[in-house]
């Protein structure tokens, strides 16, 4: 979320079935008018009992799913259906990643994965204004706008800031984060993260994705009602053209997948050098307590230093890498030398001194310890397991577009499992998107809290939580490469949200002839996207204090919408 979350190998249906059974049982209890049910009397304390009993306007989704008119009942349903949408997103992600391993990047990584990642959000947006009369759709469509705004703001504020916190390292003299070094605690200016320049390109693409919002909002900017329907149509066309352009860009320039593969190859070089050192009978690299053995590391340095200059040149590092058997993994040796030099040469004098080598090896060993948890003594087997793990990660990410699918073990079963995950995730998302929107709408009516705020806060947690957990875990590896991949995928998620999901929303507005009246909501989307795009497009290092900027934008967005809508009457 390996550089992405590994796909699940089994179908965990038990939580799904338990949730459905609990929801059904709960629905029977809260739908039953019998006063003898002890739960009913408790639940009805949250809402006027007379309204629930007398009106009897509880409509069951599909004629059998549970329904309720109480506050706590609808809150329960929002949680249950939200959990099911979370499972749908998890299945879709697992299936798409498994398919990526089998078929390689290309069309799968560039076209299929971005669309599948945005599918739960798109379905929720679609059903928010699809059913019922025009008046009902106009009232419920605000839930879709809340999800649009909430997902974008959540990714660029709470998730972005959290990834900075968990991925922070010490900032070196050159202003860049030093991989795997975190000795300055929570220094706002002395710690932070560094990404590569390609990540800033992803941020710029994300900034351009707000163009359809601007087109749709243009008549409102001019304070005229003329041409609003035409503006929605033009914005609809622009959003889907941007989706197509972005997917084609990912297909023909799959640099994110290529960087993942490059990172996996580099980790394999690290493990190969560690195993080589272990096999040279120089001693154990790790003591029994897991601390690096500096004496053995220094012996290795002197063995590599063939000219006894007390520094390692590129030629000596190249000789070391050429002399190591990396099995079937094929990569550019000179590129590997460059990456090893970048890891070790902190003084940037194009040579690795003894102390730099010792500190670099310590970082590598700490990385191995995080990748392969050891119990008890750190034996020779530990290094071999790390080497095997890195080879497996490389094999899972390698571009198999020019290889036969038969090279994968049990390709037929793997494809069937991937398709099964995708179908199950799509089915759950399609089945429970409408009930979730109804539950949010009913909860809004019961509590008199505007549905926009409920969907803004709650729905993004259901549809983006699995990706958020993976991003946080990946950022916690505290390396520039992992941070670059993490933030690239965050920007990619926002791009798909601002194009594909917005396109679905605009299609609802246009074909159902609904009113486009979302000035305050569009304003916060534009503000957050533009601020974060400008903030991240022209720099690659982000000190820890930048997370405070991101965090502050989240509550500020809610406050702005409330003031503009309920104080100044924008909507």
């Amino acid at each position: 979320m390996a550089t992405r979350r590994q796909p699940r190998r089994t179908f965990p249906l038990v939580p799904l079935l338990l949730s459905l059974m609990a929801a059904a049982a709960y629905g029977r209890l809260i739908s039953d008018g019998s006063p003898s049910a002890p739960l009913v009397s408790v639940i009805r304390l949250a809402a006027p009992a007379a309204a629930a009993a007398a009106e009897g306007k509880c409509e069951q989704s599909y004629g059998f799913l549970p329904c309720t008119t109480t506050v706590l009942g609808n809150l329960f349903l929002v949680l249950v259906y939200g959990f099911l949408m979370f499972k749908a997103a998890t299945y879709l992600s697992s299936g798409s990643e498994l398919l990526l391993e089998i078929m390689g990047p290309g069309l799968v990584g560039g076209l299929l994965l971005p669309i599948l990642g945005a599918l739960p959000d798109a379905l929720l947006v679609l059903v928010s204004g699809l059913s019922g009369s025009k008046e009902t759709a106009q009232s419920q469509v605000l839930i879709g706008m809340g999800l649009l705004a909430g997902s974008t703001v959540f990714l660029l504020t709470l998730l972005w800031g959290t990834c900075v916190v968990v991925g922070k390292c010490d900032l070196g003299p050159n202003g860049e984060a030093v991989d795997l070094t975190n000795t300055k605690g929570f220094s706002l200016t002395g710690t932070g993260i560094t990404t590569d320049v390609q990540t800033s390109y992803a941020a710029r693409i994300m900034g351009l994705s707000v163009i359809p919002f601007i087109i749709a909002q243009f008549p409102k900017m001019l304070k005229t009602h003329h041409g609003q329907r035409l503006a929605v149509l033009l914005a609809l066309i622009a959003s889907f053209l941007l989706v197509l352009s972005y997917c084609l860009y990912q297909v023909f320039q799959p640099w994110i997948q290529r960087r993942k593969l490059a990172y996996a190859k580099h980790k394999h070089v690290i493990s190969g050098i560690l195993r080589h050192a272990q096999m040279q009978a120089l001693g154990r690299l790790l003591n029994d307590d897991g601390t690096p053995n500096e004496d053995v590391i220094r012996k290795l340095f002197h063995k590599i230093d063939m000219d006894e200059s007390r520094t390692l040149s590129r030629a000596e590092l190249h000789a070391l890498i050429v002399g190591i058997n990396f099995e079937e993994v094929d990569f550019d040796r000179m590129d590997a030398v460059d990456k090893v030099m970048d890891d070790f040469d902190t003084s940037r004098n194009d040579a690795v001194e003894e102390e730099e080598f010792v500190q670099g090896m310590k970082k590598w060993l700490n990385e191995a310890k995080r990748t392969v948890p050891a119990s008890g003594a750190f034996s020779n087997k530990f290094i071999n397991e790390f080497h095997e793990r890195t080879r497996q990660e490389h094999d899972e990410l390698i571009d198999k577009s020019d290889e036969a699918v038969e090279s994968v073990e049990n390709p037929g079963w793997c494809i069937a499992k991937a398709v099964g995950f995708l179908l199950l995730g799509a089915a759950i998302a399609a089945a429970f998107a409408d009930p979730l929107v109804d539950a949010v709408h009913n909860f809004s009516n019961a509590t008199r809290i505007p549905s926009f705020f409920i969907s803004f806060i709650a729905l993004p947690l259901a549809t983006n939580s699995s990706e958020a957990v993976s991003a946080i875990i990946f950022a916690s590896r505290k390396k520039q490469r992992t941070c670059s991949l993490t933030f690239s995928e965050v920007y990619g998620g926002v791009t798909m949200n601002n194009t594909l999901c917005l396109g679905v929303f605009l299609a609802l507005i246009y074909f159902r002839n609904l009113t486009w009246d979302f000035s305050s909501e569009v304003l916060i989307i534009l503000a957050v996207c533009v601020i974060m795009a400008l903030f991240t497009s022209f720099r690659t290092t982000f000190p820890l204090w930048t997370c405070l900027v991101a965090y502050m934008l989240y509550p500020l967005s809610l406050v702005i919408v409330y003031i503009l809508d309920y104080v100044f009457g924008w909507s």
Side-chain angles (χ1 to χ4, degrees), residues 33-107:
S34 174
S36 61
L39 183 60
V40 173
S41 59
V42 176
I43 296 298
R44 287 180 177 172
L45 291 176
E55 295 182 6
K57 293 183 179 180
C58 176
E59 296 183 4
Q60 293 178 326
S61 298
Y62 309 128
F64 65 90
L65 288 182
C67 65
T68 177
T69 57
T70 65
V71 174
L72 293 181
N74 279 297
L75 176 61
F76 178 82
L77 293 181
V78 169
L79 294 176
V80 170
Y81 296 143
F83 172 76
L84 292 173
M85 292 300 292
F86 160 74
K87 297 302 296 182
T90 302
Y91 289 132
L92 288 169
S93 179
S94 299
S96 59
E97 289 171 10
L98 184 58
L99 204 62
L100 175 63
E101 292 181 12
I102 300 168
M103 303 181 66
L107 290 175

Side-chain angles (χ1 to χ4, degrees), residues 157-317:
T157 59
L158 298 184
L159 181 58
W160 192 93
T162 302
C163 288
V164 171
V165 173
V166 300
K168 68 179 178 64
C169 296
D170 294 347
L171 298 182
N174 59 353
E176 295 186 355
V178 181
D179 288 351
L180 302 174
T181 303
N182 187 23
T183 62
K184 298 180 181 179
F186 286 90
S187 173
L188 294 178
T189 57
T191 61
I193 61 104
T194 296
T195 61
D196 57 21
V197 67
Q198 285 84 359
T199 306
S200 64
Y201 299 158
R204 295 172 191 177
I205 294 173
M206 180 266 293
L208 293 175
S209 68
V210 302
I211 291 176
F213 283 104
I214 298 175
I215 296 175
Q217 193 63 23
F218 194 71
K220 294 289 184 181
M221 296 178 185
L222 299 179
K223 297 182 179 181
T224 177
H225 295 289
H226 300 290
Q228 181 63 70
R229 184 168 171 80
L230 177 60
V232 170
L233 177 60
L234 293 176
L236 169 62
I237 296 172
S239 62
F240 282 111
L241 286 177
L242 286 174
V243 171
L244 179 62
S245 301
Y246 180 71
C247 290
L248 290 176
Y249 172 74
Q250 292 282 17
V251 169
F252 294 106
Q253 297 290 333
W255 49 270
I256 293 181
Q257 287 85 7
R258 289 174 181 169
R259 286 194 304 167
K260 292 176 183 176
L261 182 58
Y263 173 71
K265 288 181 177 181
H266 180 56
K267 281 187 67 177
H268 196 63
V269 171
I270 293 173
S271 66
I273 293 176
L274 294 178
R275 190 181 69 161
H276 177 76
Q278 195 81 7
M279 294 172 60
Q280 295 303 305
L282 299 174
R284 289 171 52 187
L285 289 171
L286 291 173
N287 300 314
D288 290 340
D289 60 356
T291 58
N293 190 331
E294 287 196 19
D295 291 337
V296 173
I297 295 175
R298 294 183 189 278
K299 288 180 182 178
L300 176 63
F301 174 84
H302 292 298
K303 184 168 184 177
I304 302 174
D305 182 21
M306 293 178 292
D307 60 3
E308 298 182 355
S309 62
R310 304 193 69 82
T311 60
L312 300 183
S313 64
R314 290 182 177 272
E316 289 170 326
L317 290 175

